[in-house]
């Protein structure tokens, strides 16, 4: 019996830190594993989720044949919008309600990985109002509400060799808030495909085909392309946006979503939302089950 990494589903946190690393060299993998084992043992006051990029995971996967999955590749729409690739080797997600504990964990992780992995991205996220994005719209309203549904969307099935693991997609989006807020509330709702105040989906002819809901609420062969979103807004004086974070049982669902958003599906329509936000990073990782992670990190 295996269990998913618990931090994937813990939803009470209000403070989030995403850390993405690239290895300094292939030869440091053994050192990285030892340091991650120390981090896993020591960081217990906050939720900790660890994911591995495709090249790194193939080196350390103890199950043979190793799980094969692709790196994130840049996607460009016919209109020139771009979802930029920045594939990293290691994903660490810290979250909690306790800001001080988050900072302490963050500093410890960075201290441990210094010299073995180079920090490629650090994003400080937070819960904004009632789970809203900085555009003012509720984020993740299409998520399964029950734990069973979240597990079904996020985790590899029990008959899979890597069961209860999850494929992760992370993207840092930079919002053009001034441009977006120039729109009327009606135009904003047409962009998202939901009402702003109470997050009710538009229906029938009121729902534009290029709205965000229309481009991301997808089915393939009658199978809903569900994923479990854990995105978080971030902001400073110079830049505001959303770190899109999702966990999924099937890596191809991410590609289906991106193709639909960027005008690469059959109808050629682009998601209206990408006129108001740019994806400046993009990576895929694999988060093994808790038991498989412990096996990977075993240094005995």
């Amino acid at each position: 019996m295996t269990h998913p990494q618990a931090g994937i589903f813990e939803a009470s946190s209000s403070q989030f830190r995403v850390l993405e690393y690239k290895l300094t060299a292939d030869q440091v993998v053994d050192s990285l594993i030892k340091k991650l084992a120390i981090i896993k043992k020591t960081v217990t006051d906050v939720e900790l989720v660890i994911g591995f990029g495709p090249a790194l995971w193939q080196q350390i996967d103890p199950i043979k044949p190793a799980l094969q999955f692709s790196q994130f590749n840049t996607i460009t729409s016919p209109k020139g919008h771009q979802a930029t690739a920045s594939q990293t080797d290691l994903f660490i997600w810290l979250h909690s309600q306790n800001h001080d504990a988050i900072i302490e964990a963050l500093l410890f992780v960075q201290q441990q990985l210094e010299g073995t992995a180079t920090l490629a991205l650090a994003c400080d996220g937070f819960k904004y109002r009632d789970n809203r994005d900085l555009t003012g719209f509720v984020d993740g309203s299409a998520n399964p509400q029950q734990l069973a549904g979240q597990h079904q969307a996020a985790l590899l099935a029990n008959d899979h060799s890597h069961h209860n693991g999850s494929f992760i997609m992370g993207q840092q989006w930079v919002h053009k808030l001034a441009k977006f807020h120039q729109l009327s509330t009606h135009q904003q709702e047409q962009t998202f495909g939901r009402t702003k105040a109470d997050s009710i989906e538009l229906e029938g002819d009121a729902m534009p085909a290029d709205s965000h809901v229309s481009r991301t609420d997808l089915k393939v062969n009658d199978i809903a392309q569900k994923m479990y979103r854990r995105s978080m807004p971030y902001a400073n004086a110079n830049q505001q946006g959303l770190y899109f974070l999702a966990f999924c049982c099937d890596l191809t669902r991410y590609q289906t979503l991106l193709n639909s958003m960027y005008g690469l599906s059959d109808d050629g329509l682009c998601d209206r939302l990408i006129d108001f936000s740019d994806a400046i990073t993009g990576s895929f990782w694999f988060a093994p089950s808790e038991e498989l992670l412990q096996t990977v990190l075993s240094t005995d």
Side-chain angles (χ1 to χ4, degrees):
M1 182 67 177
T2 63
H3 304 82
Q5 293 185 50
I8 295 173
F9 301 100
E10 175 53 57
S12 65
S13 298
S14 58
Q15 300 286 324
F16 309 90
R17 299 295 186 272
V18 168
L19 304 172
E20 297 183 24
Y21 290 91
K22 290 187 177 181
L23 296 189
T24 55
D26 289 343
Q27 293 79 10
V28 301
V29 172
D30 289 345
S31 175
L32 174 70
I33 295 304
K34 292 177 182 177
K35 292 181 177 182
L36 287 176
I38 294 171
I39 290 169
K40 177 68 174 170
K41 181 178 180 180
T42 306
V43 176
T44 57
D45 291 341
V46 304
E47 298 295 335
L48 168 67
V49 177
I50 300 175
F52 302 90
L56 176 58
W57 182 250
Q58 288 180 31
Q59 294 183 64
I60 64 176
D61 190 349
I63 299 175
K64 304 303 177 188
L67 181 70
Q68 302 287 319
F69 67 104
S70 63
Q71 68 175 14
F72 191 103
N73 293 308
T74 296
I75 294 175
T76 304
S77 81
K79 296 181 179 180
H81 307 94
Q82 196 166 79
T84 303
S86 59
Q87 182 66 57
T88 55
D89 297 308
L90 179 67
F91 167 85
I92 293 181
W93 185 32
L94 306 166
H95 61 97
S96 174
Q97 292 184 350
N98 187 326
H99 180 267
D100 293 348
I102 283 278
I103 297 302
E104 290 166 1
L106 171 75
L107 295 175
F108 181 78
V109 169
Q110 178 61 15
Q111 179 187 47
Q112 287 297 312
L113 295 180
E114 189 74 33
T116 300
T118 301
L119 184 64
L121 184 147
C123 189
D124 300 350
F126 52 87
K127 181 180 178 181
Y128 180 60
R129 300 190 182 275
D130 51 340
N131 288 318
R132 292 182 184 262
D133 176 56
L134 294 174
T135 57
F137 283 78
V138 173
D139 184 69
S141 58
N143 266 343
Q145 297 303 305
Q146 302 300 318
L147 186 60
Q150 294 168 6
H151 280 198
Q152 185 177 31
L155 302 177
L156 299 181
N158 287 333
D159 59 355
H160 194 284
S161 59
H162 292 70
H163 50 91
N164 284 327
S166 184
F167 291 111
I168 311 170
M169 182 167 81
Q171 292 177 293
Q172 183 181 3
W173 289 76
V174 178
H175 290 344
K176 304 169 186 175
L177 288 178
K179 181 180 179 181
F180 182 77
H181 289 311
Q182 288 175 357
L183 301 177
S184 67
T185 299
H186 174 71
Q187 290 171 323
Q188 292 178 13
E189 291 176 342
Q190 293 278 294
T191 298
F192 271 91
R194 289 185 274 113
T195 58
K196 190 171 186 177
D198 44 16
S199 198
I200 297 173
E201 281 194 12
L202 306 182
E203 296 182 352
D205 293 340
M207 174 72 85
D210 61 353
S211 71
H212 184 57
V213 169
S214 295
R215 306 316 301 167
T216 59
D217 187 9
L218 306 173
K219 286 187 177 181
V220 175
N221 297 324
D222 292 326
I223 298 175
Q225 302 296 286
K226 289 290 186 181
M227 57 192 70
Y228 183 49
R229 293 167 170 83
R230 295 298 311 272
S231 303
M232 64 210 78
Y234 69 90
N236 57 51
N238 298 315
Q239 190 179 86
Q240 306 83 40
L242 185 79
Y243 187 93
F244 177 85
L245 177 62
F247 297 85
C248 193
C249 61
D250 183 352
L251 194 69
T252 63
R253 292 186 182 182
Y254 294 135
Q255 198 65 53
T256 299
L257 174 100
L258 291 167
N259 286 346
S260 178
M261 290 181 66
Y262 282 82
L264 302 179
S265 54
D266 292 341
D267 61 12
L269 294 176
C270 291
D271 191 326
R272 195 179 298 188
L273 192 58
I274 63 176
D275 287 334
F276 303 97
S277 193
D278 296 321
I280 63 171
T281 72
S283 286
F284 295 136
W285 307 276
F286 178 65
S289 69
E290 187 65 36
E291 288 77 10
L292 184 53
L293 179 62
Q294 293 289 359
T295 298
V296 168
L297 300 185
S298 174
T299 56
D300 296 335

